[in-house]
Amino acid sequence: SRPAAGYGRARFRAGVDIGFLIREHGLLRECILEVAEQTSATIGAEEERRLVACIFAGLAEAAMEHARCSEAEVRRRATQQMAYIAHELRNPLSSAGLAVTSLESQGLLPVHRFVRVLARSLMRMTDLLDKSLRFASLGAGEIERQPVEFGQLLSDSIAAVVEAENKGVHVEMPNRKCPGVIGDRQLIEMALVNLVRNAVKYTPSGGTIRLACFEADGAVHVDVADQCGGIPADKIDKMFLPFCQLEKGRGGFGLCLPVAKQAAEAHGGTLQVRSLPGHGCVFTFSIPCAAI
């Protein structure tokens, strides 16, 4: 298996497509049989069966590794492109934010709520682009290491989801002290914000979202329980696919859950969901206590 996977990786790096990789394994069988014929070696039916089985096993390993490398390359290019776009957008936004701050400090802008909305919006957009760049660095395998305490992080995540107040959805915070981990604070916060935002999106107006934070089995777990009514079992796996919308007309791009899942897995953790039919879903974001 190991040499076969290495061969698939080497052929990908050499620019060989997977179709040619498959044909190469067919040629391998022909070459072995030809050498046997030239040397007058007798190959019985059982030996040839084993030969074919071995070649197909090697082909499977090589093809899977080739496909994995191909997918990784597509993700790398997409991540790089996203980073370029976020970086180029961030520069003019930062300039606009500095201009507003400077005009305010000089008294050249009226004291008006619209001016405050403008300043906050510019800061929020800059923060979103910063998080996009952090997400791009996640795709490149770059993870920061710092102590992360989940209590404050959950408070910040809830505050960032202004849609809850606008929609009239109540968010309940855990009362007990939340444990912490060593990890990438921005990525974890991004994941939690997306989980809360997803819960708000599918919880009806006047509903309640409940958060719980606890430590178990060497990991820190955050439960985000919504009141979406539950999800059919055959749709659960699709929830974590990028750009997948289970319900049309909801808006958004279907990235909240994939982003949260990738952030969890980058820390060696998981994002799981259990459906409570007729009530809602509970998403559990888990990271090992010694995450990094």
Side-chain angles (χ1 to χ4, degrees):
S1 296
R2 188 175 299 173
Y7 183 75
R9 189 162 51 249
R11 299 309 276 157
F12 171 79
R13 292 172 179 169
V16 174
D17 66 44
I18 197 163
F20 193 82
L21 178 72
I22 293 171
R23 290 194 291 274
E24 285 181 329
H25 282 71
L27 290 171
L28 175 61
R29 174 182 175 276
E30 295 300 320
C31 289
I32 293 173
L33 293 178
E34 185 176 334
V35 169
E37 184 179 351
Q38 290 174 354
T39 58
S40 300
T42 301
I43 296 181
E46 177 62 19
E47 289 174 318
E48 186 170 356
R49 187 190 66 79
R50 292 183 183 181
L51 170 64
V52 172
C54 287
I55 289 176
F56 270 99
L59 171 60
E61 293 287 346
M64 285 191 295
E65 183 64 17
H66 189 287
R68 189 195 67 78
C69 291
S70 181
E71 291 173 3
E73 179 63 15
V74 170
R75 288 196 301 270
R76 187 193 67 79
R77 291 182 180 179
T79 296
Q80 188 179 58
Q81 184 65 21
M82 184 181 72
Y84 287 153
I85 294 172
H87 184 267
E88 291 306 308
L89 287 173
R90 188 185 187 282
N91 288 335
L93 272 175
S94 297
S95 298
L98 289 172
V100 170
T101 302
S102 179
L103 289 171
E104 279 187 310
S105 65
Q106 297 176 44
L108 299 177
L109 285 178
V111 179
H112 194 281
R113 68 183 184 90
F114 287 161
V115 175
R116 293 194 297 272
V117 169
L118 172 62
R120 286 199 303 270
S121 297
L122 288 171
M123 290 179 61
R124 177 64 178 154
M125 291 175 71
T126 302
D127 181 58
L128 286 172
L129 287 173
D130 285 342
K131 288 178 177 177
S132 296
L133 287 169
R134 290 295 305 123
F135 187 64
S137 69
L138 170 60
E142 298 176 8
I143 301 293
E144 291 186 354
R145 297 167 174 82
Q146 58 180 320
V148 178
E149 199 277 305
F150 272 86
Q152 184 60 47
L153 204 58
L154 285 171
S155 298
D156 294 344
S157 301
I158 292 171
V161 184
V162 295
E163 298 94 325
E165 183 177 351
N166 295 338
K167 192 176 179 180
V169 173
H170 179 62
V171 182
E172 289 186 356
M173 271 282 294
N175 293 322
R176 57 184 171 182
K177 181 176 174 59
C178 295
V181 298
I182 301 297
D184 191 309
R185 190 184 194 282
Q186 282 191 319
L187 286 178
I188 296 173
E189 182 179 6
M190 188 191 310
L192 296 177
V193 167
N194 277 287
L195 287 176
V196 175
R197 180 168 287 125
N198 182 77
V200 170
K201 182 178 179 179
Y202 291 99
T203 295
S205 178
T208 299
I209 295 169
R210 293 179 172 84
L211 275 65
C213 186
F214 57 96
E215 184 177 344
D217 301 322
V220 175
H221 309 274
V222 177
D223 281 350
V224 180
D226 61 35
Q227 293 182 335
C228 68
I231 297 292
D234 61 337
K235 292 186 177 181
I236 287 181
D237 289 339
K238 297 179 181 178
M239 298 173 70
F240 299 104
L241 297 176
F243 307 110
C244 178
Q245 294 278 21
L246 297 184
E247 294 183 23
K248 302 300 181 183
R250 287 282 190 171
F253 294 96
L255 291 174
C256 284
L257 297 179
V259 166
K261 185 173 186 291
Q262 190 169 356
E265 291 175 350
H267 289 80
T270 60
L271 176 61
Q272 298 178 327
V273 60
R274 64 181 186 276
S275 176
L276 307 175
H279 183 71
C281 289
V282 180
F283 291 87
T284 302
F285 179 85
S286 304
I287 293 181
C289 291
I292 299 178

